[in-house]
Amino acid sequence: MIGRDSAGGLVRRPLSPHLQTYRWPVTMLSSILHRATGIALAAGCVLLVWWLVAAAGSPAYFAFVQGFLASWLGVLMLLGWVAALSYHVLNGIRHLVWDTARGFEKPGLNATSYAILGGTAALTLLVWVVGFAVWR
Amino acid sequence: MSDSSKLSITVRRSQLGQVRGLGAARGGVRHWWVQRLTAMALLPLTIWFVISVLGLLGAPQSAVAGFVAAPVNTVLLVALVAISLHHAEAGVQTVIEDYVHREGSRIASLLAVKALTLFLALVGIIAVLKLAFTAVH
């Protein structure tokens, strides 16, 4: 592919092989999941703002939004939101640790990748058990 | 030692570019810092928000309005909405810069993301403030 250097001249950049060329190490999965959950959470911001708008709106509109969030589709979206948030927060903490130039050894990378996947499942489950227990 | 006069590398960067040190994105490390700082701010805010929402599941509108209108919650919610959408914008921008290569579509999608996230943040903040200034205590 053709790009530009900082002097403005054209330069031919190399392309890396496509995804299907690689076997999937867990670090690759965990990197892609960070992006995917990040995009999902950006979309989830719409849900957050919608909920605030509903709270500030008429009683009928609030009831409509609350009814939607309690429907199977709404519950599925909230479940996905909690899972995406748990993953993005846990892996985000790892990213912040990486920024201090620590934690780049391969065995450690694999271990923390699996730990974050497990932690995501545990956190999601915890939030949901508490959620269903307190749901009025 | 080899004959060093035969060695050469091509530096594809103008002298002005090297001095500025802003790199190909023309923005230096500012964007990187914004992503990290907003991430650190969101850690406690998000944990607070999830715990708070758990307490509001299925609650009547008056309870939600009362929660939002409590001064501490108003401040934290405005911070959460603003910083979340700032962080989202920075993240989606990175993804677009990685995958959208045509200059026209890249700029168009970057501007669209900026507009959407700013609009959402304003709507969310106004909703919070409306509750803060009108809710019956």
Side-chain angles (χ1 to χ4, degrees), chain A residues 11-27:
Chain A
V11 56
R12 195 172 288 279
R13 306 261 189 229
L15 269 186
S16 54
H18 283 287
L19 288 180
Q20 63 269 26
T21 306
Y22 301 101
R23 80 186 162 82
W24 277 64
V26 69
T27 44

Side-chain angles (χ1 to χ4, degrees), chain A residues 10-113:
Chain A
L10 292 177
V11 56
R12 195 172 288 279
R13 306 261 189 229
L15 269 186
S16 54
H18 283 287
L19 288 180
Q20 63 269 26
T21 306
Y22 301 101
R23 80 186 162 82
W24 277 64
V26 69
T27 44
M28 183 159 140
L29 175 74
S30 106
S31 168
I32 287 170
L33 270 180
H34 197 69
R35 283 220 153 161
T37 53
I39 291 169
L41 290 168
C45 285
V46 178
L47 213 60
L48 164 67
V49 169
W50 194 34
W51 180 70
L52 291 169
V53 167
S58 67
Y61 192 63
F62 182 79
F64 163 70
V65 173
Q66 204 166 40
F68 170 77
L69 290 177
S71 72
W72 67 267
L73 182 60
V75 168
L76 195 69
M77 285 169 86
L78 288 174
L79 177 69
W81 185 75
V82 171
L85 187 66
S86 304
Y87 182 85
H88 204 78
V89 164
L90 290 176
N91 201 50
I93 292 171
R94 186 168 66 149
H95 261 289
L96 291 173
V97 174
W98 283 340
D99 290 338
T100 68
R102 267 172 282 230
F104 286 114
E105 305 76 23
K106 212 190 270 179
L109 283 176
N110 288 333
T112 48
S113 295

Side-chain angles (χ1 to χ4, degrees), chain A residues 6 35 55-57 66 99 136, chain B residues 13 36 54-55 59 61 98 130:
Chain A
S6 64
R35 283 220 153 161
Q66 204 166 40
D99 290 338
R136 279 167 273 185
Chain B
R13 196 163 291 275
R36 267 64 188 178
L54 280 174
Q61 188 174 12
D98 279 355
K130 186 188 170 207

Side-chain angles (χ1 to χ4, degrees), chain B residues 18 30 33 96 106:
Chain B
Q18 287 181 63
R30 186 178 180 278
W33 262 114
I96 288 172
R106 191 179 74 237

Side-chain angles (χ1 to χ4, degrees), chain A residues 1 4-7 10-13 35 38-39 41-42 45-46 48-60 62-63 66 78 81-82 85 88-89 92-93 95-96 99 126-128 130-132 134-136, chain B residues 12-14 17-18 23-24 32 36 39-40 43 46-47 49-50 53-61 63-65 67-68 77 80-81 84-85 87-88 92 94-95 98-99 101 103 120-121 123-124 127-128 130-131:
Chain A
M1 107 173 242
R4 282 186 189 279
D5 58 28
S6 64
L10 292 177
V11 56
R12 195 172 288 279
R13 306 261 189 229
R35 283 220 153 161
I39 291 169
L41 290 168
C45 285
V46 178
L48 164 67
V49 169
W50 194 34
W51 180 70
L52 291 169
V53 167
S58 67
F62 182 79
Q66 204 166 40
L78 288 174
W81 185 75
V82 171
L85 187 66
H88 204 78
V89 164
I93 292 171
H95 261 289
L96 291 173
D99 290 338
L126 173 72
V127 169
W128 275 79
V130 174
F132 278 117
V134 300
W135 196 307
R136 279 167 273 185
Chain B
R12 292 195 186 277
R13 196 163 291 275
S14 68
Q18 287 181 63
W32 187 91
R36 267 64 188 178
M40 285 187 270
L43 281 177
T46 307
I47 293 166
F49 179 71
V50 169
V53 165
L54 280 174
L56 289 170
L57 282 177
Q61 188 174 12
V64 178
F67 167 81
V68 176
L77 278 172
L80 176 77
V81 170
S84 290
L85 282 151
H87 186 79
V92 175
T94 307
V95 175
D98 279 355
Y99 301 132
H101 300 307
E103 186 121 17
L120 265 181
V123 171
V128 170
K130 186 188 170 207
L131 283 168

